[in-house]
Amino acid sequence: QVQLVESGGDLVQAGGSLRLSCKASGSIFSTYTMSWYRQAPGEQRELVAVITSGGSTNYADSVKGRFTISRDSAKNTVNLQMNSLKPEDTAVYYCKVDARTNRGYRGDYWGQGTQVTVSS
């Protein structure tokens, strides 16, 4: 099995910065695409940023130029640096990892979420 643990969520003022981290552990053979999603109250979960195993990245238009996704494949971690935060960035942030286990199973794994609140 694969477990994901996110950290770094907090209450911050508009214009501030936060760094989210997500570490995958368990019987991991390899990780592939790693992503961050977010879900605000009453809204659908949306993709924020994605990074492939080769390091290619893509971002939602709403966060381009403010957020940066990075990964350390050796440590099975993915990070999200969030700068110039806005109140509309308030949401629960989830990481998702496409991973293959030591038994050969490949699938998507989700973390439990970390709350980011941006005050105006």
Side-chain angles (χ1 to χ4, degrees):
Q1 267 290 20
V2 177
Q3 298 82 38
L4 303 184
V5 177
E6 299 118 332
S7 62
D10 206 345
L11 170 64
V12 63
Q13 287 189 334
S17 298
L18 283 175
R19 182 177 177 85
L20 305 183
S21 294
C22 173
K23 181 171 177 59
S25 62
S27 57
I28 300 170
F29 177 78
S30 184
T31 57
Y32 304 97
T33 299
M34 307 177 92
S35 311
W36 285 97
Y37 286 74
R38 67 186 181 187
Q39 187 167 19
E43 302 289 333
Q44 290 190 336
R45 192 171 297 188
E46 64 173 353
L47 177 64
V48 175
V50 59
I51 184 166
T52 68
S53 56
S56 296
T57 60
N58 203 6
Y59 299 90
D61 287 343
S62 59
V63 307
K64 280 181 181 177
R66 300 187 298 122
F67 291 10
T68 302
I69 189 171
S70 61
R71 66 186 289 166
D72 184 337
S73 296
K75 296 182 179 179
N76 293 325
T77 60
V78 58
N79 303 302
L80 186 68
Q81 178 65 42
M82 306 187 295
N83 299 328
S84 303
L85 283 161
K86 304 175 181 180
E88 50 263 44
D89 294 318
T90 296
V92 177
Y93 284 70
Y94 300 88
C95 66
K96 185 181 80 169
V97 175
D98 175 5
R100 186 182 299 281
T101 68
N102 291 330
R103 292 191 174 187
Y105 173 78
R106 180 172 177 175
D108 288 332
Y109 297 89
W110 289 86
Q112 82 288 351
T114 186
Q115 176 70 48
V116 172
T117 303
V118 184
S119 63
S120 57

